[in-house]
């Protein structure tokens, strides 16, 4: 697993290219989602759900109408919490004894739910797993609880690395340029962009 210093070098050495490929539309989508989350019942808010599914890529095996309905109901029930307990939310969404063992995609859905509630929780997906050389727990002998423990351990390490980058100002210059670039995209809907640094880092790594 790469450490904070190695990640900071990757970001700083490629900062210009990383910033060039960030889609302002994705930043606007995230800003809309955060706004709706604070003011609407997202279990029934169609625009929120459509934007969420498009931005976070909510789809694939097991993602049917029933799952999506439950997903947003659980999101609505959890949205006011300051912390995000992956185990608790997983039980609410997938059940205490899910038919399918916890997969990388399912843990990714949980991280995306956490991310829109609180940007201090970064996104996990297969791309992140590859960057950090994370060995996903796919062994058939591991049940969902054991797999969750492996995912949560990695995720806590991931958050710790991100927090170190920010607390020690290891990518300060790149974040300054990111902030300057955001000013170019101000408009009537978004007169002021104020992405938290953790979310900016999320965009840079993704």
């Amino acid at each position: 697993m790469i450490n904070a210093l190695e990640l900071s070098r990757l970001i700083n050495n490629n900062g210009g290219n990383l910033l060039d490929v960030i889609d302002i539309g994705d930043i606007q989508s995230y800003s809309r989602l955060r706004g709706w989350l604070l003011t609407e019942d997202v279990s029934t808010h169609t625009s929120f759900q459509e934007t969420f599914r498009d931005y976070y890529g909510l789809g694939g095996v097991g993602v049917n109408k029933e799952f999506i309905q439950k997903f947003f109901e659980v999101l609505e029930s959890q949205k006011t919490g300051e912390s995000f307990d992956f185990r608790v939310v997983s039980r609410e969404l997938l059940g205490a004894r899910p038919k399918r063992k916890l997969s990388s995609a399912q843990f990714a859905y949980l991280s995306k739910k956490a991310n829109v509630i609180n940007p201090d929780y970064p996104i996990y997906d297969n791309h992140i797993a590859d960057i950090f050389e994370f060995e996903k727990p796919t062994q058939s002998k591991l049940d969902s609880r054991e797999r969750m423990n492996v995912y949560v351990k990695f995720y806590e390490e991931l958050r710790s690395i991100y927090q170190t980058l920010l607390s020690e100002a290891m990518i300060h210059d790149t974040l300054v340029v990111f902030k300057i670039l955001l000013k170019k995209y101000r408009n009537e809907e978004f007169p002021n962009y104020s992405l938290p640094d953790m979310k900016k880092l999320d965009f840079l790594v993704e």
Side-chain angles (χ1 to χ4, degrees), residues 2 25 82 99 123 129 152 162 164 167:
I2 65 174
E82 293 184 8
K99 295 179 180 179
I123 291 174
V152 169
Y162 283 13
T164 298
S167 65

Side-chain angles (χ1 to χ4, degrees), residues 91-143:
R91 285 196 295 271
E92 286 194 30
L93 178 62
L94 304 173
R97 297 174 181 243
K99 295 179 180 179
R100 295 174 61 241
K101 292 184 178 181
L102 184 71
S103 68
S104 180
Q106 288 172 329
F107 189 80
Y109 298 153
L110 297 176
S111 80
K112 293 166 182 178
K113 190 190 292 282
N115 183 253
V116 75
I117 292 173
N118 184 345
D120 282 340
Y121 289 87
I123 291 174
Y124 163 86
D125 57 18
N126 286 332
H127 174 66
I128 295 298
D130 290 342
I131 290 176
F132 288 88
E133 301 175 349
F134 170 55
E135 186 175 344
K136 289 170 278 190
T138 57
Q139 301 93 325
S140 58
K141 65 180 180 180
L142 297 179
D143 61 23

Side-chain angles (χ1 to χ4, degrees), residues 23-42 45-52 54-56 75 79 115-117 185-195 199 203:
D23 187 346
I24 185 60
D26 287 340
I27 295 175
Q28 291 172 338
S29 291
Y30 183 78
S31 299
R32 290 187 187 103
L33 288 170
R34 286 285 296 159
W36 283 325
L37 186 73
L38 298 174
T39 60
E40 306 290 343
D41 180 346
V42 300
H45 195 270
T46 304
S47 294
F48 177 92
Q49 295 181 13
E50 290 177 349
T51 303
F52 187 102
D54 182 59
Y55 170 65
Y56 284 112
L75 176 54
K79 71 179 186 181
N115 183 253
V116 75
I117 292 173
Y185 298 104
R186 290 176 177 173
N187 56 30
E188 186 175 339
E189 183 182 4
F190 300 108
N192 292 293
Y193 280 107
S194 57
L195 279 180
K199 187 58 190 177
F203 275 114

Side-chain angles (χ1 to χ4, degrees), residues 132-192:
F132 288 88
E133 301 175 349
F134 170 55
E135 186 175 344
K136 289 170 278 190
T138 57
Q139 301 93 325
S140 58
K141 65 180 180 180
L142 297 179
D143 61 23
S144 288
R145 180 184 58 80
E146 292 169 320
R147 291 185 180 194
M148 175 62 78
N149 290 338
V150 176
Y151 280 115
V152 169
K153 183 177 184 295
F154 166 74
Y155 190 81
E156 289 174 348
E157 293 172 352
L158 176 70
R159 285 189 75 198
S160 178
I161 289 172
Y162 283 13
Q163 288 163 350
T164 298
L165 284 182
L166 298 178
S167 65
E168 298 186 12
M170 298 172 75
I171 57 168
H172 173 266
D173 291 349
T174 301
L175 290 177
V176 168
V177 177
F178 198 153
K179 183 177 181 180
I180 292 170
L181 287 176
L182 284 178
K183 293 180 180 179
K184 293 171 53 178
Y185 298 104
R186 290 176 177 173
N187 56 30
E188 186 175 339
E189 183 182 4
F190 300 108
N192 292 293

